[in-house]
Amino acid sequence: MSIILQVKDLVTKFYTLDGVVNAVNGVSFELNEGETLAIVGESGSGKSVTMMSLLGLIPMPPGKIESGSASFNSEEGLCDLLQLSPEEMRDIRGGQIGFVFQDPISTLNPILTIGEQISETLIRHKGLSKEQAREQTIKLLSQVGIPDPELRYKAYPFQFSGGMRQRVVIAIAIACTPKIIIADEPTTALDVTVQAQIIELFKELRDALGVAVIWITHDLGVVAGIAERVLVMYGGRPVEIAQVMDIYKDPKHPYTLGLLRALPSLEAKESKRLKSIKGTPPDLLIPFKHCPFASRCDYAFDRCWEEIPPLISVGEQHQAACFFDLEEGGPRHD
Amino acid sequence: MGRYFLSKLIQSLVLLFGVLFLVFMMVRVTGDPAALMLSRNASPEQLEALREEMGFNDPALVQFKHYITGAILGDFGNSLHFKTPALPLVLERLPATVQLASVGMLMAIIIGIPIGLVGGFTPGSVVDSIGRFLALIGQSVPNFWLGLMMILFLGVRLGWFPTFGRDSWNSVVMPAFVLGLPVMGQLVRLTRSAVLEIRGEDFIRTAHSKGLEPRTIYLKHVLRNVAIPLVSVIGVQFGYMLGGSIYIEAIFAWPGMGGLLAQSIGWRDFPLIQAIAVFTSLIVLLLNLLTDLAYSIIDPRIRYGR
């Protein structure tokens, strides 16, 4: 298994009138070929901004990528996504890295046919003629499970349901057989049965195309069904990275534990109150001098208020950023 | 598409009938129409003769039937002032009004939309600031004052343009500019805000995520969506402009329908006023129909009745 994307120490800030928003504060992770990595975190944890930063989709200004690197094993060889010119980045976007966004209602242009919106990607990256792109688009539509693709080619987004629109967006993302698909909460705006269908479709396509997927979500329930590894983010920082089963069975960070306790369980014998994490997400306008989760953490002790815990190895392919050892029930000795 | 247009056409016909009815009532419910049309010292015999001639002694329904059949055939009776049929008098003035309104609208579009586009794509830039200032001026300066100032400076002092009439090719410049200026201001602001709004839409982010060239995104994804609100405003405003601009035609002695309307009100020439009112409404209805058609071409949601 080779690494297709390696992100190191990514820092993104927004210079707004209210002050500097520290949206992403040193994110590092790697993505293997054909692997599905879930990025989990609550709103404002920096998961979307991380992905937008990698692909130059951050509005600049006010946004600015302060530092970091993102080496991507592209068709042309290794390159740093953060150092590419806008032209080179456009070749990669849509061509080698596909995107699926959250709300399929607003992510499609309301006045262009869905056929046109898919085929323009093909024309841009594959240099197909209009007619070739049309044929390819019809194939894609049937591949993502849209019935009567030839008829639907000429349809407009408003004639589709939410789930169908998301299928169209997925068709756009896979149109040029990318190496990575970034799916930013692709099922959040859909109802539960449609969610399951879309997840199923994703798995099918991932296995058929051998594409790596970065699945951004705040729903740990969805993660188990699709991801192989999970990156948990908090306050613009990674707090835990592990194999998906380790996250559920053996969480090493109090925040991850809190997220899991907030999940309803089908196995629970008696009806139990779900435990929420107390407090509110951190104010990103203030740069952290200590663990960003300390104020909400049940296990915080004096060291947590003095320095920022680094990401350390806590097991096989398992890293966490916490001074507290949940198993031992006391401060970690290092 | 056909069904959409048909329903709009039927709506327009119903509206036209309403306008005809209102114009009919306008003359009949404001007192004795014969007394209104004649001067105050007319003799009872003259009044009676006019009532008989105009058919005011007939039952209202009979009068309405005569009026409607006349209107359909383009016969609004004879102008009291000119003693000739009213409609040809209106049609005679039509080319001047159409010329004034079209040139004014063209100026507004050619100047207003590009400034608005630049402003929308580079908010806060120099062009944007100047454009917004001009838009504010355009919308707030009273046009009769601006007309007089232009006559004074550009016409009299500098002698660049004729000060009145419609005798040479450049006569139209000043009145058209004054007529188009408020619309230009409106178009600058509307275009700017529409571009800003559309640029922030999620589907524009999607377009960027496909790796499309910025030029393609602007032309194909932004501009077509921006055109939707612009078309409706241009349609409505052009209707107003064609309806005749009484002040501007009066200030520049422009021989159009607005000037004729002002005169015919002074003459209490009811048949002529009626003809102008109905004809102007007809133009506005036609324009609205065209606007709806343009709308449905740009926006499929309207075409398919959503």
Side-chain angles (χ1 to χ4, degrees):
Chain A
M1 228 172 11
S2 62
I3 292 170
I4 190 162
L5 176 69
Q6 183 157 36
V7 178
K8 272 188 190 151
D9 298 320
L10 178 70
V11 176
T12 304
K13 293 182 179 175
F14 289 91
Y15 293 83
T16 68
L17 291 177
D18 295 327
V20 183
V21 179
N22 302 287
V24 176
N25 306 306
V27 170
S28 304
F29 66 89
E30 53 200 39
L31 181 70
N32 294 313
E33 232 162 63
E35 175 194 45
T36 303
L37 173 73
I39 300 189
V40 181
E42 58 199 7
S43 307
S45 60
K47 44 197 199 307
S48 295
V49 178
T50 301
M51 290 307 132
M52 301 284 199
S53 304
L54 295 182
L55 292 177
L57 288 174
I58 296 281
M60 293 195 252
K64 186 162 184 258
I65 295 167
E66 301 273 325
S67 63
S69 67
S71 75
F72 172 56
N73 194 359
S74 74
E75 276 157 25
E76 293 81 30
L78 270 183
C79 63
D80 185 350
L81 290 176
L82 303 181
Q83 304 298 328
L84 293 180
S85 69
E87 290 77 30
E88 292 168 320
M89 182 53 97
R90 281 200 292 275
D91 284 339
I92 291 200
R93 263 193 331 242
Q96 300 184 38
I97 301 181
F99 247 105
V100 178
F101 293 103
Q102 180 172 354
D103 183 3
I105 309 280
S106 57
T107 46
L108 291 170
N109 190 332
I111 61 172
L112 295 180
T113 62
I114 58 140
E116 177 152 19
Q117 297 190 52
I118 300 172
S119 54
E120 68 178 351
T121 314
L122 290 163
I123 293 170
R124 163 72 178 80
H125 292 286
K126 300 255 156 167
L128 300 185
S129 71
K130 266 203 152 152
E131 196 37 53
Q132 291 168 320
R134 206 187 99 91
E135 275 171 36
Q136 188 62 34
T137 300
I138 289 170
K139 270 187 212 151
L140 281 165
L141 284 174
S142 75
Q143 200 176 356
V144 295
I146 288 174
D148 299 328
E150 259 150 86
L151 220 68
R152 301 302 187 130
Y153 181 90
K154 290 198 209 84
Y156 290 93
F158 67 86
Q159 295 168 313
F160 277 30
S161 68
M164 295 278 268
R165 285 185 223 199
Q166 197 60 301
R167 285 171 193 266
V168 173
V169 177
I170 293 170
I172 293 174
I174 63 166
C176 303
T177 48
K179 298 187 150 197
I180 304 175
I181 293 178
I182 295 174
D184 189 352
E185 306 210 22
T187 58
T188 308
L190 305 171
D191 61 54
V192 182
T193 44
V194 181
Q195 260 186 26
Q197 290 167 11
I198 294 293
I199 292 171
E200 222 28 64
L201 174 67
F202 246 104
K203 283 202 243 175
E204 265 169 46
L205 292 172
R206 176 192 63 190
D207 298 341
L209 303 172
V211 62
V213 177
I214 296 178
W215 186 282
I216 301 173
T217 182
H218 59 243
D219 186 351
L220 267 176
V222 170
V223 169
I226 186 153
E228 280 138 24
R229 280 194 310 138
V230 181
L231 166 66
V232 182
M233 282 186 69
Y234 187 83
R237 242 172 246 284
V239 293
E240 187 162 1
I241 307 175
Q243 302 280 331
V244 67
M245 275 308 123
D246 293 339
I247 282 281
Y248 286 94
K249 295 238 170 75
D250 186 21
K252 298 287 191 197
H253 195 284
Y255 177 62
T256 316
L257 189 66
L259 287 179
L260 288 168
R261 282 189 182 154
L263 273 183
S265 160
L266 283 177
E267 281 109 52
K269 290 279 186 309
E270 67 237 77
S271 59
K272 233 177 20 180
R273 264 184 172 276
L274 292 177
K275 280 193 79 169
S276 62
I277 302 173
K278 67 182 182 190
T280 51
D283 184 357
L284 297 174
L285 283 168
I286 307 159
F288 293 113
K289 298 266 187 294
H290 53 79
C291 172
F293 190 61
S295 60
R296 302 172 75 183
C297 184
D298 292 332
Y299 308 97
F301 60 104
D302 27 337
R303 194 178 174 194
C304 304
W305 292 98
E306 282 154 14
E307 51 186 310
I308 300 173
L311 208 53
I312 52 165
S313 178
V314 291
E316 199 193 334
Q317 291 197 56
H318 196 157
Q319 289 173 291
C322 186
F323 294 131
F324 194 86
D325 192 331
L326 285 172
E327 260 167 322
E328 300 287 321
R332 199 180 288 282
H333 304 288
D334 47 9
Chain B
M1 183 76 181
R3 237 185 82 207
Y4 167 77
F5 195 66
L6 194 69
S7 80
K8 287 286 168 194
L9 192 68
I10 292 170
Q11 274 177 28
S12 303
L13 288 176
V14 172
L15 271 172
L16 184 63
F17 186 80
V19 167
L20 284 168
F21 180 73
L22 282 178
V23 170
F24 173 80
M25 294 299 287
M26 182 178 81
V27 181
R28 268 86 183 167
V29 299
T30 47
D32 180 357
L36 280 172
M37 290 178 190
L38 288 179
S39 62
R40 221 178 263 189
N41 44 16
S43 68
E45 290 76 27
Q46 281 176 307
L47 281 172
E48 189 50 41
L50 185 70
R51 283 188 198 119
E52 199 55 45
E53 188 200 328
M54 304 291 287
F56 291 146
N57 289 332
D58 294 337
L61 271 178
V62 175
Q63 286 188 41
F64 191 60
K65 198 191 113 199
H66 281 154
Y67 163 79
I68 289 284
T69 44
I72 290 168
L73 297 172
D75 177 10
F76 289 89
N78 282 353
S79 154
L80 299 178
H81 181 83
F82 294 101
K83 315 283 187 230
T84 57
L87 193 61
L89 289 169
V90 179
L91 293 179
E92 210 171 84
R93 302 291 194 105
L94 185 64
T97 292
V98 170
Q99 186 197 8
L100 181 61
S102 310
V103 175
M105 183 51 91
L106 264 173
M107 284 181 172
I109 290 174
I110 291 173
I111 302 172
I113 292 182
I115 293 180
L117 287 177
V118 173
F121 282 116
T122 55
S125 66
V126 179
V127 178
D128 181 38
S129 309
I130 296 173
R132 281 160 76 192
F133 181 68
L134 287 181
L136 187 69
I137 300 256
Q139 284 192 292
S140 48
V141 167
N143 52 14
F144 60 86
W145 178 83
L146 183 69
L148 292 173
M149 290 302 118
M150 288 184 78
I151 289 175
L152 185 59
F153 289 103
L154 301 185
V156 177
R157 293 263 172 91
L158 295 169
W160 288 357
F161 302 105
T163 53
F164 68 92
R166 185 183 172 233
D167 302 318
S168 67
W169 66 271
N170 59 356
S171 299
V172 74
V173 174
M174 287 203 297
F177 182 78
V178 175
L179 183 64
L181 194 67
V183 182
M184 188 192 92
Q186 197 182 0
L187 287 180
V188 169
R189 301 171 80 132
L190 188 71
T191 310
R192 181 180 186 273
S193 64
V195 168
L196 279 176
E197 190 193 317
I198 301 294
R199 277 180 67 205
E201 290 281 353
D202 285 349
F203 62 79
I204 297 301
R205 188 183 58 184
T206 308
H208 282 292
S209 81
K210 292 189 220 172
L212 301 179
E213 302 296 329
R215 208 168 48 118
T216 316
I217 295 176
Y218 296 152
L219 292 177
K220 197 162 152 189
H221 291 271
V222 179
L223 288 193
R224 269 192 66 179
N225 278 288
V226 167
I228 297 171
L230 290 185
V231 162
S232 66
V233 164
I234 289 173
V236 169
Q237 292 294 349
F238 196 46
Y240 277 124
M241 288 161 112
L242 277 174
S245 37
I246 296 181
Y247 296 125
I248 291 165
E249 291 194 0
I251 290 169
F252 290 95
W254 187 260
M257 288 201 306
L260 185 65
L261 180 64
Q263 284 172 320
S264 58
I265 291 171
W267 296 325
R268 287 190 284 183
D269 191 340
F270 273 80
L272 194 49
I273 297 174
Q274 284 186 10
I276 295 175
V278 171
F279 190 71
T280 313
S281 316
L282 190 67
I283 291 179
V284 171
L285 286 175
L286 272 176
L287 263 176
N288 282 349
L289 210 56
L290 282 177
T291 308
D292 283 332
L293 190 66
Y295 229 71
S296 71
I297 290 171
I298 303 175
D299 191 344
R301 285 167 294 188
I302 291 168
R303 192 153 70 230
Y304 289 93
R306 271 288 281 272

